[in-house]
Amino acid sequence: MNKKTIIGLCTGMSFAFSSLWLAGCTVTNSNQVSAFDPGDYPAILPYESSDMRGKHVGLISNIDIRTQLESGLMSLSKEFFPVNEVGYKNHVFLDFDELDATDGSRGLLGTLRDDNPNGLNPGADEVFDTGNGQVNGPIILVDLYEIDFYSNDQLKGISIGLAVTDKISKDGQEYEITPEAMENYLKVTSSKLVTYLRQRFNEVNNHIPILVAAYQLNTDPISVDKGGYIYEAYFNGSHTEYKTIDEKYVLVPSSEFTEMDAEMASQFNQFKNDVATVLADSTYTTGEAKFENGTCAALRLNIQTYGKTSGEILAVIQSVNEKLAVFTSLDVEYRVCIYNNKEVAALIYRPLNTTNTNVITTF
């Protein structure tokens, strides 16, 4: 297998490897960085950190969900904004002031009312039909992410990720929002948001395509599935395309994982057992699988070891790198994070359409 250096970020059992790499890129933005993987977007420097970072943390505390929201939005964007044609920035237009709705502020995340006509949540006097009962003035839209795409330092497109809830609590009752009710809300909301962007910012004219995608949170406290993207709307001039999405994150191993992909579950069990034979004591393998439309698209594995010497952990890394060949599907992206005493010892990445791996050790 090929061995190349990569850069990544591994956080718990999430899909938190950074996807900001690009090679052989034809984009000519000034101060654009290059990346290693030909399938992802390059950042445009100087990277201007948005004041929305703190807002995101305050609205959604779970870092795994925040990561899935942004990385998932980047993945969806590739269909509309090719990675070899654009670089990216974050929240160029929708900053904290545009979105803030705390203490009655008039931001987009607020409720629709006379002094906040741009609010994207239903007004207090507005009845929202969840499909399982009617509720007045619910908070459906929880947060909003923005990625902006540039080529030759000119805006070429915008992607917006909407974080929406799956149910509404009112007067001690919970009302689950049906797919039909959510789709109706998202169709109206995405159109309203695009109109706002085009009217509010001169740079966002009618020729700038805009993708609006919705990530539905899973608020079930005992579920391992945190949510996923369910809907997208692509606005290009006067033309709009709508599409439903089925995205799900499943714990590995689990009965749900086995039900959804029995072959890969069997391969995982073989992989886990093979890895455990290298150093049988205190070596554990778990992970998370991302399914798109019922098919596994990505597998993230975490291997935990404790008290291993450099030589021992190197043996584990080499074995894991070799044993990844047990996974036969080339339509799945594989990432493995190996820990020793809770510190990252190695990252292994196997891209789509190959059995070659990229490996970096941290010692």
Side-chain angles (χ1 to χ4, degrees), residues 176-234:
E176 187 173 346
I177 304 174
T178 64
E180 295 77 14
M182 179 59 75
E183 185 172 338
N184 290 336
Y185 166 78
L186 291 172
K187 190 171 186 178
V188 173
T189 300
S190 59
S191 179
K192 181 178 179 179
L193 177 58
V194 169
T195 299
Y196 175 83
L197 285 166
R198 289 174 173 170
Q199 293 179 349
R200 174 75 172 82
F201 304 100
N202 292 332
E203 193 175 357
V204 188
N205 57 54
N206 290 337
H207 300 293
I208 301 299
I210 301 174
L211 171 67
V212 181
Y215 180 107
Q216 189 167 41
L217 304 167
N218 185 348
T219 59
D220 184 349
I222 64 174
S223 175
V224 297
D225 178 19
K226 303 174 183 67
Y229 277 95
I230 60 168
Y231 182 83
E232 69 178 24
Y234 181 64

Side-chain angles (χ1 to χ4, degrees), residues 74-177:
M74 279 193 171
S75 295
L76 293 174
S77 299
K78 294 173 186 177
E79 179 181 351
F80 307 98
F81 310 114
V83 296
N84 63 335
E85 295 181 8
V86 293
Y88 81 94
K89 298 180 181 181
N90 288 103
H91 281 288
V92 172
F93 304 101
L94 301 180
D95 57 15
F96 184 90
D97 289 337
E98 294 286 339
L99 298 181
D100 186 37
T102 56
D103 300 325
S105 296
R106 292 176 292 176
L108 292 173
L109 294 179
T111 57
L112 178 65
R113 55 186 189 273
D114 290 343
D115 63 344
N116 189 24
N118 299 313
L120 298 179
N121 279 300
D125 298 327
E126 183 178 352
V127 176
F128 177 78
D129 188 354
T130 67
N132 287 306
Q134 295 184 338
V135 181
N136 282 71
I139 299 298
I140 303 171
L141 179 61
V142 178
D143 199 2
L144 185 155
Y145 282 71
E146 173 193 349
I147 303 174
D148 309 284
F149 299 101
Y150 287 82
S151 178
N152 298 318
D153 300 313
Q154 293 184 341
L155 180 65
K156 294 298 183 180
I158 300 173
S159 287
I160 303 292
L162 306 178
V164 295
T165 188
D166 60 344
K167 59 177 66 77
I168 296 167
S169 298
K170 194 75 171 181
D171 300 327
Q173 286 187 287
E174 284 193 340
Y175 301 84
E176 187 173 346
I177 304 174

